[in-house]
Structures are given as structure tokens and as C-alpha cells.
Amino acid sequence: MRSLTLAEARDRSELITVGSYAVQLDLDQGAEVFGSVATVRFTCASPGADSWVDLKAREIHSIRLNGRELDPATVDEGRLPLPGLAADNELTVDATMAYSHDGQGLHRATDPADGRDYVYGHLFLDAAPSVFVCFDQPDLKAPYGITVKAPQEWTVIGNGATTQTAPGEWRLATTKPLATYFVTVCAGPYVSVRDEHDGIPLGLHARQSLREPLERHAAEIFEVTKQSFDYFHGLFGIRYPFGDYDQVFVPEFNAGAMENPGCVVLRDQYIFRGAATQDELLTRANTVSHEMSHMWFGDLVTMKWWDDLWLNESFAEYMSHRCLVDATQYTEAWVDSSIERKVWGYGAERSPSTHPVAGVEALDAISALQNFDGISYAKGAAALRQLIAYVGDDRFIAGVRAYLTDKSYGNGTLADFLAAIQAASGSDLDGWAKAWLLTAGRDTISVDLAEESGRVTAATLTREAPADHPADRPHALDVAGWTDGTQTARVETTVAAPEVSLEGLVDTPTPAVLVPNASDLTWARVVLSDKTIGALPTQLSQVPDAQTRAVVWSSLVDGLHTAEVAPTVLLDVFEGAWTRERNSSILTRTAGYAEHVVVGVFLPREQRPAARERLARCGRALLDTAEPGSTSSLAAARLVAGTSADEELLRGWATGHGLPAGLEDDGDFRWIVVRNLARRGALSDADIERFRASDDTLQGSLNALMCRAARPDPEAKAWAWDQLTGRNGRSNYEMNHLARGFWAAPSDDLVEPYVARYFVDVPAMSAWVGEDALSRVVTLAFPQVYTDATARRSAETLERGDLTPAVRRSLVDADADLREVLASRAAFGDSA
């Protein structure tokens, strides 16, 4: 299918104004297809002109434009020509559409727990034409009136409040003007929990097999929802404009959530079946608040073209963390951002695919998606924090209010947003925007100390811009020193030159640990001194400031990926500090990183068993001392379950014997244990099937696939590869779980034959897998055989001209990760 170009979108928006959509969906035609009858009313600025509308149908039954029939055969590559338009036009298309199984368009999934089917719409980025005929670009917004026919036992939820007009028939209230990619319909035998707040009807919905956890978690989700509404109403000065507010937790969702106005769709893994750590609850709360902030920034005001999509996400990323800290119990949300979101963004910044936050003109819709990553979210949010430091919070919020008011129900651009902030603050933002938004890369920040007799005699903060992306970025940040848990000094400064003298550190005690950007206020690569790194195994756990500890861990991760910090150094710090960590986000994120990246990627396979046992000892030590049922206890148990070589312990836990408190009936925890056993070759396919039968749910089936793929024998690998890369009707989630398990092996020899096959078989999947879903498969299935031979094959593949944009972008990033591992091993050798 052709991708809409920016030039085409501009031309069409000058010609066409959409007045309304009336969409009739018939979801009662079986498991493969659905009916779609859509009427679009629109005007044409130049009567007699030609245009086109977007349509991706399985079968077209009729097309009527202004009373005359058009030939369905004229549809070409998803475009229906519209010849000889009048000033006022009415187009009706009656078509049969296909359900998807890759998370795009109208996705249909079956829950193995009870055999029931569930449908949800995810129309981002260009999937709307696979559901109804439309002018599919973000600046052609219009109201929608939707009716749905569905099996009688189903419930229907959508952007407008739903009314059941007859058995199996539903009408959704006409919406405010929406961009096409925000339209959604969710239908199936969903169970619901309802509430109301400030005159806004609230709903939570999930699969029937998740009824118990949905009801168990509903009060907490509603609380965050209500707190976020109150906060954003007060902050923006504009009431929520889209009627009801439903949150639908759906199966097999590609992203974390989607901000459809009035009907937010979220991945149903957020309805935790078993025990959940505090940081998992924080992540869910952050997602709830993030999507709600989009109701104003993204939904009420939508970007004019996809190259400004970053602003929607950066704004929501910033606002959700701000809201959690100011209005909810999750006051350490910025710590979670430091250890998870910014680490993700820094990884994107290190890759050859790095790009500016803004200003990268997307020549077509698909290319815009390739720059939709951790830079769009985490770096953009950090840039907004620096903008606030630059202009002042009151002025920033005044500018946001003006922007939202002026552009309500319409579209805006980066220039419009900056103009509003500039008018409210009186500040010239041209230089700031050029440095922070329009230039790729991040500065490196470090501090050099001179000392004498245990006192600091001079301190210099150095700011170094990347040579290939020079910029003059001002940074508002702080520097803090700590010794044995006591803060020796903290200096706030604005860095606007390559070097800045930190007079506030002079004549203070020389700290054991010195941390630039200690409060993590800016976006930069923080380099710690060798002295600080050497002290961390004993000193880090004593630092009482969780934000600073998160910055330290982020710096160590950066150093690992840039071959400046050895994997064993991270393990030394982990062993010294982890069992005494108090912050849930740091505790769980660093454990996962140590297990799956430091040991699972950077260490050669022959060194992993001993390193895993080292991690298991840490887990057992914390498990012995943690309060039963606490986040610390759960994090420790998960680490032991994933790393221990004690098969007697693992088999006992897998069968429910001797489990830590709170995990007695936790199916998700059991699968961590089962995967460890499967990876070790301690389980057969029949053993895994028995565990699946005891957890006969969607998640249980997915975990069973991952465990079967992880088994260390040639037959298991051959089966998994065929299931992953063949046309077997596997869903997006099934492919992901097969890929996650596949490269587990005791040696490279078992999986090395699949390295060459990856570079042929996976790109070919673009013939039947959507770009959004395939991009994840490319990343997850990338060969975990870290050799020069793999690097050569990867480089050769990137020279091919037939890769789709999503495959190429994901392959570039995966190739960069491979070269980081090779550089680390070259720097630190086999003793790493």
C-alpha cells in the first residue's frame, strides 16, 4: 500500500473539508470479516476537481458518490479516486473488511480461557481505512456517528456513549471532531465496572476471564483516574470535552495504551492477575494519567502532520509524571522515569537512528513512525522540563492554556505551540528550540575535582556536545556529593558554557560519591569519575536520595553500552547495593537489567551460569530478610526464579510447594520458574503443556509458547522458528513470545544456524505482518549470537533495497546493540 505523503496531505486538506462520518459496522459476520457501510459528507473548495479517499477493503459491494455509482475496480493501493467533485459531496461505501491479528485496524482475539472472542480498534497510524472509508490524515477532523451490530451477548464501547437500541444493536453518541486515527470500537463479552466523577461517567472493561483482578484493581484505577481529572481540570482550565470516559483493557495490544477520546484502550497485562510490585502499579497509574492528558494535548488539539507527533507524546510523558507527583500517592514517579523511561530514551539517542526531537520533516506517514521512539517520549519530556526552567512554570502553563484554547477541536504545529509559550513568557525561544528540539544528540556532563587534605579546592563542570551533532544547550541542573550516607554538598547551576566553575563545592569535604545532574533535571550523558564508580559497591546503598541513586544506575548502564564500564562492575555494584535498595522502581528495574542485559547479553554464554548464580544469591539474601508479601520480597523471588540453578527449589515452586508468601496461586510467577526450567532442558513439551493446561488462559498460552521455544534442543528450535516465521496465523503476541524464547541456549552452536535465516526469513514477513507488529518481531528475534560474522550479515542486510521502513529502522537499532556488545567484549575481554 502507498503511504500518504506530506505534499499529498497538504494538497488534499486545501481542497477537502470533512463535515461528518456516519459509520455502520456489522461485527456479526463470523470470526474473519465484518461489514462496513460508511457515509462521508464533505465539501470541495474547487468544484469539478478530482481527489481520492482511503479504503483498504477485503471486498467492495458498492460505491456511491453524489448519487452516481463508482467502479470498485478503480481502487488502487488503498485509494479510491473521486472524480468531478461538487461543492457539497456525499460518499457512501459498502464493503466487507477483514479483522486483523497483528494489533492494527480492527483486531480480533480469542481468549483460550473460555473460547470467547474480543474485538478492539487500533487505527493508528494509517489503519483507519481498513475499518471504514475515510480521508485518513490527522488534519481532516470530523464528528463521527457510529452504529454497531454485534452478537447479542456482546457489549459495545466506543468514542461516544453507547446505547443499546435492540438486541445486538448499538448506537454511539455523535463525537466531537476527531482525527481518523482516534476512532475506536471495542466489542465483545467484556465485563465492566462503572463509577462517576465530577459529572463524568467512568467505565473499566476487560475480558471475562479477568473479572476477578479487574474488580480487585478497579478502586485503585478509578482513584488515579479521578485524581488526574481534577489535576488536569485545574491545570489547563478546560473541562474534559468528550463525554463518557471508558478505559478498555484489551488482549494483544501492541503498545502500552492508545488515547482514543472517551475510549482509552490499554494492554490488559495492566490488570495484574497475581502479585504486583509498587513500581508496576506506578507504571499503570502513569499510563492512566498519560492517556488522560492526551484528551487535551493530542485529542482536543491534534498535530497537523505526523512530524509533530512527538509533541503529543512529550507533553503527555511530562504531564503524567507531574500529575502523579503532585496529585497521587506515586510521588516518586520521576525516579521511575530516570531508571526506566530515560534509559530507554538514552538507548535511542546512542543509536545511529538518533534524530532531533522535532523538525524532522516526515515526507510520508510511514516514515514518521520510524522516529517515534524514546526520543519522542523521554527526551521530549526532559526538554519540556528544561523549557520550564528557562521561562518559568507559571508562564509555561499560561502558554499551554492559550494554545489549547486557541486550537480547540483543530490542529496545531510546533511553531504554534512555541509561539504561545513565547507570548506568555516574553522569552525568545528560537535559540532554545534550535539547541534542544532541532538538534540531535545529547551533551556529556562530568565534574573534575581538585582536593587537598580531604577538602575540595576546585570543581569544574564540563559540558561536551557530541561532535557529529554540535549544539549550545543550556542545562539547569544540580551536582551532589555523598559520603557514608551524608550529603557533603549540593550545588544548583545553569550550564551555558563548555566549562563552569562550581564554587559551591569548594572547601566542602571531598565526597566518596559525586553525581552530576543528581536530581535528573536535564537530558545528558552523565559520566561518573573512576573514584566514584569504585566506591559505589559500598556507598550507593547509603545515599538516601532515590533520584540520585537512579541517576547513578542510569550512568552505569550508559557506560556499559559505550564500553566504558565493564559488565562485572555493574554486577559488583548490584551485589553491594541491591539488597538494601528501598525504591521499588530501582529495585525491580536493576534486577531485570542485570539478569536479562548484563548477564543475558553482554556476558559470553560460558560466563552466564556463574553470574546467574551470583544474582540468585542476591535474590535469596533479600528474600530471607524482606517482609513477606512486600515489593522487596516479590522482586527477590522473581530474581531467584529466573536465575537459580537449584532445580529442586524450582520444581517445588513450579508445583506450588514452598512458595514465598503472597505467591501461592500466582500463575505469572509460576511461568518465570517454568521458563527457567525449560531453558535448562529440565522440562519436555509435555511438561510445559501440563503447566499450560493448569493456566488455560491467553497469558498461559503465550508463556507456554515462549517456554517451548526456549528448550535447548534442535527439534524445539526448528519448531519455534517455523511457528515464528511461517504463515501459521500466529498473532502479534504469539510471534513476540516465540521470539523472546528462541535464542535461549547453552551455547551458540545450537542457534547459530538460524543467524543467516533471520536475515532472510524475518524481513520476508512484511508480506503478511503489519509494520507496527513486525518492527517488534525484528527487534525481539534479532540473533543473540554476538560475533563478527553476525555483524557482517547484519551490515549486508542493511544494504538491501527491499526492506520496509519499519524493518530497516528496527534492524538499524538492533545492529547498533550488537556492535555495543562486541565493543564491550573487545574492551574487557573474556574476563568481563
Side-chain angles (χ1 to χ4, degrees):
M1 295 289 183
R2 296 167 62 185
S3 181
L4 179 69
T5 69
L6 172 58
E8 289 172 331
R10 285 173 173 166
D11 289 344
R12 190 162 65 168
S13 64
E14 289 180 0
L15 186 68
I16 301 297
T17 300
V18 184
S20 67
Y21 287 90
V23 180
Q24 304 171 50
L25 299 178
D26 183 355
L27 309 184
D28 199 15
Q29 296 188 8
E32 298 301 322
V33 298
F34 61 95
S36 171
V37 180
T39 297
V40 192
R41 295 176 176 86
F42 60 98
T43 62
C44 175
S46 300
D50 299 339
S51 188
W52 83 95
V53 70
D54 302 288
L55 177 61
K56 302 174 185 177
R58 169 73 66 86
E59 182 181 359
I60 301 171
H61 305 296
S62 66
I63 305 171
R64 293 184 62 84
L65 174 64
N66 299 330
R68 71 181 190 272
E69 297 287 339
L70 299 185
D71 184 358
T74 61
V75 176
D76 181 43
E77 293 191 278
R79 296 186 176 187
L80 166 62
L82 300 176
L85 291 172
D88 296 293
N89 301 273
E90 181 177 289
L91 171 72
T92 299
V93 174
D94 182 350
T96 295
M97 305 292 196
Y99 289 113
S100 82
H101 300 287
D102 62 6
Q104 298 168 242
L106 204 58
H107 182 97
R108 186 167 181 141
T110 302
D111 187 350
D114 51 23
R116 293 184 170 98
D117 281 8
Y118 295 85
V119 168
Y120 65 84
H122 183 51
L123 274 52
F124 179 87
L125 167 94
D126 59 354
S130 67
V131 179
F132 56 89
V133 66
C134 58
F135 294 98
D136 191 27
Q137 59 188 74
D139 59 340
L140 290 179
K141 300 171 76 171
Y144 286 79
I146 298 176
T147 60
V148 179
K149 181 182 178 183
Q152 292 189 18
E153 67 274 17
W154 284 19
T155 296
V156 174
I157 311 132
N159 302 102
T162 55
T163 302
Q164 188 170 10
T165 57
E169 297 181 9
W170 301 77
R171 180 177 299 279
L172 280 64
T174 301
T175 71
K176 299 289 187 180
L178 305 181
T180 48
Y181 78 98
F182 287 137
V183 178
T184 192
V185 167
C186 302
Y190 287 99
V191 293
S192 303
V193 181
R194 300 187 184 279
D195 203 342
E196 182 273 339
H197 180 67
D198 195 16
I200 304 168
L202 307 177
L204 304 176
H205 316 270
R207 289 178 283 132
Q208 288 201 22
S209 61
L210 293 176
R211 177 190 294 274
E212 185 278 327
L214 176 69
E215 293 175 347
R216 173 160 42 94
H217 287 279
E220 146 74 10
I221 299 171
F222 277 137
E223 180 181 27
V224 173
T225 300
K226 295 172 185 179
Q227 290 167 330
S228 298
F229 264 128
D230 291 344
Y231 186 76
F232 293 137
H233 280 157
L235 197 65
F236 302 146
I238 301 172
R239 277 191 59 80
Y240 168 69
F242 296 111
D244 291 9
Y245 194 76
D246 289 296
Q247 297 173 85
V248 189
F249 295 86
V250 303
E252 301 180 344
F253 195 64
N254 278 334
M258 180 64 195
E259 64 271 19
N260 309 307
C263 186
V264 174
V265 172
L266 308 94
R267 58 168 56 208
D268 62 11
Q269 289 96 325
Y270 285 132
I271 303 298
F272 304 111
R273 302 190 307 165
T277 60
Q278 181 71 6
D279 64 284
E280 288 173 325
L281 298 176
L282 186 157
T283 297
R284 182 177 66 194
N286 183 269
T287 303
V288 168
S289 188
H290 177 110
E291 304 309 323
M292 185 184 293
S293 72
H294 274 308
M295 298 299 125
W296 288 267
F297 221 103
D299 296 3
L300 179 65
V301 181
T302 308
M303 74 275 156
K304 190 175 183 65
W305 179 244
W306 297 111
D307 51 7
D308 275 331
L309 183 61
W310 75 272
L311 187 53
N312 291 3
E313 297 305 340
S314 299
F315 185 86
E317 181 89 358
Y318 169 74
M319 280 298 169
S320 62
H321 287 84
R322 175 174 176 152
C323 174
L324 291 194
V325 170
D326 290 352
T328 78
Q329 64 171 304
Y330 300 105
T331 55
E332 292 193 316
W334 286 118
V335 178
D336 187 77
S337 173
S338 298
I339 198 66
E340 198 268 332
R341 304 295 285 180
K342 291 184 80 170
V343 168
W344 170 44
Y346 287 157
E349 194 83 287
R350 286 192 304 268
S351 175
S353 64
T354 187
H355 55 86
V357 174
V360 181
E361 189 171 67
L363 298 182
D364 60 43
I366 292 298
S367 66
L369 187 61
Q370 308 320 306
N371 286 335
F372 190 50
D373 52 24
I375 293 171
S376 311
Y377 286 79
K379 184 178 182 179
L384 291 178
R385 294 185 84 182
Q386 288 296 304
L387 177 58
I388 291 168
Y390 190 73
V391 303
D393 189 66
D394 290 346
R395 295 182 180 91
F396 173 78
I397 295 301
V400 167
R401 285 185 169 200
Y403 174 79
L404 293 174
T405 300
D406 181 55
K407 300 295 182 181
S408 286
Y409 303 110
N411 299 84
T413 65
L414 169 63
D416 296 329
F417 175 72
L418 291 178
I421 303 298
Q422 188 162 299
S425 66
S427 301
D428 184 349
L429 298 181
D430 289 348
W432 182 92
K434 179 180 180 181
W436 270 105
L437 301 179
L438 304 179
T439 306
R442 56 184 175 144
D443 297 337
T444 297
I445 302 260
S446 60
V447 175
D448 294 320
L449 293 184
E451 59 176 307
E452 184 176 336
S453 302
R455 311 288 291 187
V456 176
T457 58
T460 303
L461 187 149
T462 301
R463 180 200 70 180
E464 182 181 357
D468 48 351
H469 300 292
D472 184 14
R473 279 178 282 263
H475 296 266
L477 53 80
D478 59 356
V479 178
W482 304 85
T483 300
D484 297 332
T486 299
Q487 182 174 293
T488 60
R490 185 180 292 266
V491 175
E492 296 180 359
T493 187
T494 297
V495 183
E499 290 188 355
V500 175
S501 178
L502 301 176
E503 297 299 328
L505 291 181
V506 175
D507 203 31
T508 64
T510 303
V513 171
L514 184 67
V515 184
N517 194 31
S519 295
D520 205 12
L521 300 176
T522 194
W523 179 268
R525 179 169 174 259
V526 171
V527 175
L528 304 174
S529 69
D530 290 344
K531 178 182 176 182
T532 288
I533 292 175
L536 291 176
T538 58
Q539 290 286 326
L540 181 57
S541 65
Q542 300 183 64
V543 174
D545 186 346
Q547 193 74 66
T548 299
R549 298 197 304 275
V551 170
V552 168
W553 277 112
S554 175
S555 175
L556 292 174
V557 168
D558 242 335
L560 175 71
H561 286 271
T562 55
E564 295 166 301
V565 175
T568 49
V569 169
L570 269 84
L571 294 179
D572 290 343
V573 178
F574 185 88
E575 191 170 41
W578 187 76
T579 58
R580 291 182 287 276
E581 180 55 57
R582 286 85 69 198
N583 179 271
S584 173
S585 296
I586 299 175
L587 187 76
T588 62
R589 308 293 186 187
T590 55
Y593 193 83
E595 177 184 354
H596 299 295
V597 181
V598 180
V599 176
V601 172
F602 277 84
L603 286 185
R605 290 188 194 269
E606 62 271 15
Q607 297 181 25
R608 294 176 190 174
R612 287 195 179 104
E613 185 52 35
R614 192 177 178 186
L615 296 180
R617 286 196 299 270
C618 292
R620 285 193 292 266
L622 180 56
L623 189 58
D624 289 342
T625 59
E627 179 183 350
S630 66
T631 284
S632 294
S633 178
L634 177 55
R638 287 175 176 173
L639 184 60
V640 174
T643 59
S644 177
D646 185 344
E647 288 192 16
E648 182 179 357
L649 172 73
L650 296 173
R651 288 185 183 277
W653 280 6
T655 55
H657 300 292
L659 285 163
L663 297 173
E664 292 82 2
D665 191 30
D666 192 323
D668 292 327
F669 177 77
R670 183 183 301 113
W671 282 112
I672 299 174
V673 180
V674 173
R675 184 185 179 189
N676 190 357
L677 287 167
R679 175 174 55 82
R680 296 176 181 280
L683 297 178
S684 66
D685 284 349
D687 295 327
I688 295 169
E689 173 57 24
R690 281 192 289 272
F691 285 111
R692 188 210 60 78
S694 68
D695 182 16
D696 191 15
T697 65
L698 182 60
Q699 199 59 41
S701 297
L702 293 170
N703 280 315
L705 284 176
M706 181 165 56
C707 291
R708 287 188 65 183
R711 291 186 58 236
D713 66 67
E715 293 77 13
K717 298 305 180 186
W719 173 85
W721 192 257
D722 174 71
Q723 292 299 305
L724 170 62
T725 62
R727 291 190 183 228
N728 297 299
R730 292 293 186 181
S731 73
N732 51 337
Y733 270 39
E734 289 174 327
M735 291 185 290
N736 291 346
H737 280 72
L738 287 162
R740 286 190 177 106
F742 181 82
W743 295 101
S747 70
D748 284 350
D749 292 342
L750 177 61
V751 291
E752 195 280 334
Y754 293 92
V755 172
R757 294 187 61 178
Y758 167 89
F759 293 106
V760 175
D761 295 350
V762 172
M765 293 168 66
S766 61
W768 67 90
V769 180
E771 289 281 275
D772 193 19
L774 185 55
S775 66
R776 289 165 173 79
V777 174
V778 171
T779 300
L780 293 170
F782 189 86
Q784 293 178 29
V785 177
Y786 300 102
T787 63
D788 290 337
T790 303
R792 285 194 296 273
R793 288 190 181 277
S794 181
E796 291 167 0
T797 304
L798 285 169
E799 292 297 320
R800 287 167 45 180
D802 62 339
L803 301 179
T804 66
V807 169
R808 179 174 298 282
R809 168 59 194 270
S810 294
L811 193 55
V812 165
D813 291 344
D815 178 83
D817 292 341
L818 164 66
R819 293 174 195 282
E820 288 179 348
V821 175
L822 293 176
S824 176
R825 294 183 182 178
F828 301 112
D830 292 340
S831 63

